[in-house]
Amino acid sequence: ALWLEQMKNFLGLAGGSADPWARFLNQRVKIETTDGTSTFATLVGSDADKLNLAEFEGGAIPAGFTASTTGARGSASIARDRVRTLEAAS
């Protein structure tokens, strides 16, 4: 239990996290951008400026996302201010 609690604190997943999207880390999500593009992907990380996603629906990285040259699984990032909604995939 202690290990799990410390891991959640390290990853920013503990209750009261300042990042509202941290709860979706390593989960399949539906993301809609400010230009109206919607897609499904896995949220694999984030920082203060961007979200990192991988395993995009259909395998192609949508327009508006910046492909990662170092990430695995067809990863790409998008600036947080370009995201209209992010929710769990249904």
Side-chain angles (χ1 to χ4, degrees):
L2 178 62
W3 176 82
L4 186 57
E5 178 183 341
Q6 292 301 315
M7 181 181 67
K8 286 181 179 180
N9 287 336
F10 177 78
L11 295 173
L13 301 175
S17 174
D19 186 353
W21 294 328
R23 68 182 183 274
F24 299 116
L25 189 60
N26 293 319
Q27 294 182 33
R28 197 82 175 143
V29 295
K30 178 182 179 186
I31 185 168
E32 182 182 355
T33 64
T34 55
D35 65 1
T37 301
S38 291
T39 191
F40 291 91
T42 301
L43 181 63
V44 294
S46 64
D47 61 30
D49 300 320
K50 66 182 184 282
L51 299 175
N52 302 311
L53 297 113
E55 301 171 337
F56 286 89
E57 178 179 46
I61 296 171
F65 289 79
T66 304
S68 172
T69 57
T70 59
R73 301 184 293 180
S75 61
S77 62
I78 188 166
R80 285 178 177 261
D81 62 358
R82 296 213 48 241
V83 177
R84 178 175 293 147
T85 61
L86 183 113
E87 58 192 35
S90 52

